[in-house]
Amino acid sequence: ACTIPVSDEQLWEMTATYLAEGMAAGERVLYFDDGRAGSLLQRLDDDRVPYRSAMRSGQFGIVPSTVTRALITGSPGELIAALDAVVT
């Protein structure tokens, strides 16, 4: 499936729904921050998603925007090192 949001609000709605479904299924969920994680967390709060407990347990994590940028712009070796630091 593919979807293209037409507004920031729709983007946060779709992202929050996707992450909430993963958490509800018991999956480990990572959000790769692009500098706007605050908007996502606000949406999760609005939707009453229990993300705080998932963060405490390690089920849900936010990859810092500096790491996200490094993953996009770095070499394959840097990508592996950055993912290793976040996932383990």
Side-chain angles (χ1 to χ4, degrees), residues 7-46:
S7 68
D8 284 347
E9 179 60 27
Q10 188 181 26
L11 172 64
W12 300 127
E13 178 183 355
M14 292 170 12
T15 304
T17 298
Y18 181 78
L19 297 175
E21 288 174 358
M23 285 183 263
E27 297 173 1
R28 177 138 190 245
V29 178
L30 293 174
Y31 173 72
F32 288 81
D33 185 19
D34 61 355
R36 299 181 290 177
S39 296
L40 171 67
L41 295 178
Q42 181 61 53
R43 181 63 196 217
L44 291 171
D45 274 334
D46 292 348

Side-chain angles (χ1 to χ4, degrees), residues 7 15-16 48 50 57 61 69 75 81 85 87:
S7 68
T15 304
R48 296 189 172 124
S57 72
R69 278 192 290 283
S75 70
V87 175

